[in-house]
């Protein structure tokens, strides 16, 4: 699978963006509030992949909890698939349970699911299926 993006939790999105621009010359290519995930995100292109900076919206989302308990830094790795439903079935059958029973909407109109870091050697893994690859109903 192709690495789609690297998720990085930050306390302040604009300060995070300013750092990656100043330090590495990375530019924002997309910004969005993902209310279902309780995050405000910015994607910064980094060659063939991108960084997703994640600032929590509110006190009780997954990223808010991550920042409180672990501080800012690497939050997840996201891999692209054209067949997220099939990949979920394959993973579940292989004893790697996805956190969701079915794909759910994520940033950029993509469908996403997650694997718990405890089952992935300490790293939260996301699968993403770009919206334009969704099969017609
Ligand atoms: N990476 C590595 N370890 C993590 C982690 C992460 N992102 N998030 C939590 N953990 C660790 C905790 O530090 C804790 O470790 P210890 O037991 O050693 O202290 C353990 O996992 C906690 O597990 P839990 O009780 O299940 O924990 P949480 O309530 O913290 O939930 C998780 C963790 C992965 C189930 C939750 O964050 C989740 O559902 N994530 C998926 C959704 C998400 O992250 N959305 C935001 C991104 C959205 C986007 O990309 O747009």
């Amino acid at each position: 699978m192709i690495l789609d993006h690297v998720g990085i939790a930050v306390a302040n999105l604009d300060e995070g963006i300013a750092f990656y621009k100043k330090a590495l010359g990375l530019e924002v290519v997309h910004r969005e509030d993902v209310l279902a995930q309780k995050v405000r995100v910015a994607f910064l292109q980094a060659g063939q992949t991108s960084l997703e900076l994640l600032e929590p919206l509110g006190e009780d989302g997954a990223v808010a909890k991550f920042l409180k308990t672990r501080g800012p830094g690497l939050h997840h790795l996201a891999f692209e698939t054209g067949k997220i439903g099939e990949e979920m079935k394959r993973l579940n059958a292989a004893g790697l349970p996805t956190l969701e029973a079915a794909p759910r909407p994520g940033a950029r109109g993509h469908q996403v699911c997650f694997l718990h870091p405890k089952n992935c050697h300490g790293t939260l893994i996301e699968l993403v299926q770009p919206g334009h690859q969704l099969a017609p109903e």
Side-chain angles (χ1 to χ4, degrees), residues 1 4 23 26 39-40 72-73 99 101 110 118 122 126:
M1 278 186 211
D4 180 77
L26 303 188
V39 285
R40 172 164 292 160
L99 292 174
H110 293 5
K118 291 288 178 197
E126 179 181 15

Side-chain angles (χ1 to χ4, degrees), residues 37 52 62 65-66 70 75-76 114 116-118 122 124:
Q37 301 275 344
E52 180 190 27
K65 186 171 180 190
F66 180 91
R70 299 169 66 102
H75 182 262
H76 66 267
F114 290 88
H116 198 287
K118 291 288 178 197
L124 175 63

Side-chain angles (χ1 to χ4, degrees), residues 51-110:
L51 304 187
E52 180 190 27
L53 303 185
L54 306 123
E55 175 191 304
L57 287 175
E59 299 288 317
D60 60 344
V63 175
K65 186 171 180 190
F66 180 91
L67 279 173
K68 269 184 216 142
T69 55
R70 299 169 66 102
L74 178 63
H75 182 262
H76 66 267
L77 298 179
F79 293 88
E80 181 185 327
T81 172
K83 296 181 176 174
I84 194 168
E86 284 182 26
E87 288 298 343
M88 290 174 76
K89 278 187 204 148
R90 182 184 65 78
L91 288 161
N92 288 320
L96 290 166
T98 50
L99 292 174
E100 301 80 6
R104 58 171 158 154
R108 302 176 296 175
H110 293 5

